[in-house]
Amino acid sequence: FRANLPVMVLNFGSLCTLVAFTRTDVLELRSLAMTGQMCFVAYQLKQQIILWPSIMWSSTFACVNGWNIQKILEERHSSVRMTEEQERVFV
């Protein structure tokens, strides 16, 4: 089990990435993609020869997704205030 753990983490991350592409909700998509990327980083760090460029790229993608997840959550929890005129135009 211990010897196969990195491969299991890689497969779980790949499955997360695959499922991410099937999501219509952007928050779910980004969360699953970030999970997949971090699993790939964990897998790479357990290899005998560590490929730092791929770790850096996956970490960069995960950070971008994390940043956008934060913006989505802030947007979903914010409130919008409109004047009566703005509401009339909007509706």
Side-chain angles (χ1 to χ4, degrees), residues 1-73:
F1 176 77
R2 190 173 179 96
N4 289 333
L5 186 60
V7 174
M8 292 170 56
V9 168
L10 177 66
N11 286 324
F12 175 73
S14 296
L15 183 62
C16 286
T17 302
L18 176 65
V19 172
F21 288 120
T22 68
R23 310 304 337 158
T24 55
D25 181 55
V26 177
L27 183 60
E28 289 177 14
L29 184 150
R30 289 193 177 278
S31 298
L32 287 165
M34 189 170 88
T35 301
Q37 290 152 353
M38 295 315 297
C39 286
F40 180 74
V41 168
Y43 170 78
Q44 284 293 330
L45 289 172
K46 294 303 270 180
Q47 300 307 299
Q48 288 181 352
I49 298 173
I50 297 177
L51 301 175
W52 290 107
S54 64
I55 289 173
M56 293 305 295
W57 278 112
S58 291
S59 298
T60 301
F61 295 143
C63 287
V64 169
N65 277 318
W67 176 264
N68 283 311
I69 287 169
Q70 179 191 6
K71 289 188 340 188
I72 290 168
L73 291 174

